[in-house]
Amino acid sequence: MRNQNMQGRISSIRIKITGEQQDILNSWLRKSTTPVGLAKRARAILMLASGERFSKTSLYVGMGERHLRKWARRFIEQGIEGLS
């Protein structure tokens, strides 16, 4: 029997961002010159930092959950530079 909640599994990956990082990510989303892939990663990190689940975030940004986890780990390890 499947879980009725179906919100996705709880991840051990936790994204925490500073105010400065949040400002940078938001500025990328406002610029029309930001490459699409970078904008997707910025949106995803902002969503994850706000407590959104990986399953919902991956659907919203159009990125596979496995791929999203890879970018989340890079952000944790390298910060903003890890998203490029």
Side-chain angles (χ1 to χ4, degrees):
M1 182 183 245
R2 297 196 70 169
N3 182 350
Q4 296 295 329
N5 205 355
M6 298 299 287
Q7 291 182 353
R9 69 186 178 110
I10 295 177
S11 177
S12 61
I13 301 171
R14 298 281 180 258
I15 301 291
K16 293 182 177 143
I17 60 176
T18 65
E20 182 182 2
Q21 288 172 324
Q22 186 172 359
D23 290 346
I24 291 168
L25 295 173
N26 280 317
S27 75
W28 288 354
L29 294 176
R30 284 192 302 273
K31 291 180 186 174
S32 61
T33 56
T34 301
V36 173
L38 187 58
K40 278 185 179 186
R41 295 188 291 273
R43 169 66 60 213
I45 295 300
L46 288 168
M47 288 180 71
L48 293 171
S50 73
E52 205 56 72
R53 290 184 182 262
F54 277 86
S55 55
K56 183 175 180 182
T57 301
S58 69
L59 288 172
Y60 186 82
V61 300
M63 183 185 302
E65 199 171 329
R66 189 169 141 210
H67 201 70
L68 178 58
R69 289 177 187 282
K70 174 186 78 170
W71 286 110
R73 283 198 275 303
R74 285 186 184 175
F75 179 79
I76 291 168
E77 294 167 4
Q78 302 171 26
I80 293 287
E81 296 78 22
L83 298 179
S84 295

